[in-house]
Amino acid sequence: MRLWTMTALEYPVDANENRRASEALFARGGRDQVVVFDDVYGAAVGAAAKPRLFADGLVMPLGVQPWRDGALVQYGPDIRFYRDTDGDGCADQHEVVLTGFGTQDSHLFPHQFTRAPGGWILAAQGLFN
C-alpha cells in the first residue's frame, strides 16, 4: 500500500495580501514536495517508512491524486498531471489539465481530489477563489 502526501513549507500563500510576491513565488517554484511512502505495511512495527520524492519545486500542492503513471497535483491556478515517464518513481514532466483557479487565499485552493464512478475525479474548491 502507498501513501501519497505533500508538504506545505510555503504556507500561507496569500495573493490578497501581496499579489506580486505570490505570483513571483508560483513563477519560480517553491520548497514544497509530493512524497510517497511506498510500503506502509512493510515497515517494521515502530519503524518509520522512508518517503520517496515524487515531485518538488512546488508551492503548497494541496490536492494530490495518484492517476495512471503519475499524479494529479494542484499548483497555484492549475491542476497539473505530473508523470513518471522513465519508471524511476519520480515525476519528470508535467502538463496543465485544468486552469483558472484563483490564488487569492491558499486556504481555498482546489483540494481533496477523489475518484468517482465513471472515471470522474472530483475536487473541492474554496468559495472566494
Side-chain angles (χ1 to χ4, degrees), residues 60-111:
M60 279 187 59
L62 292 186
V64 175
Q65 175 63 55
W67 188 56
R68 298 184 181 169
D69 59 347
L72 294 167
V73 177
Q74 173 272 325
Y75 185 85
D78 306 330
I79 295 176
R80 298 176 174 181
F81 179 46
Y82 283 80
R83 293 185 64 201
D84 172 16
T85 64
D86 60 10
D88 68 354
C90 300
D92 46 59
Q93 65 178 247
H94 70 270
E95 64 184 276
V96 174
V97 295
L98 188 61
T99 192
F101 298 97
T103 59
Q104 293 82 2
D105 185 341
S106 58
H107 300 95
L108 306 176
F109 290 168
H111 60 286

Side-chain angles (χ1 to χ4, degrees), residues 5 14 35 50 56 59 68 72 74 84 92 100 109 112 121-122 127-128:
T5 190
D14 195 340
V35 296
K50 293 185 98 176
D56 63 357
V59 178
R68 298 184 181 169
L72 294 167
Q74 173 272 325
D84 172 16
D92 46 59
F109 290 168
Q112 295 180 341
I121 296 178
L122 309 177
L127 173 66
F128 302 112

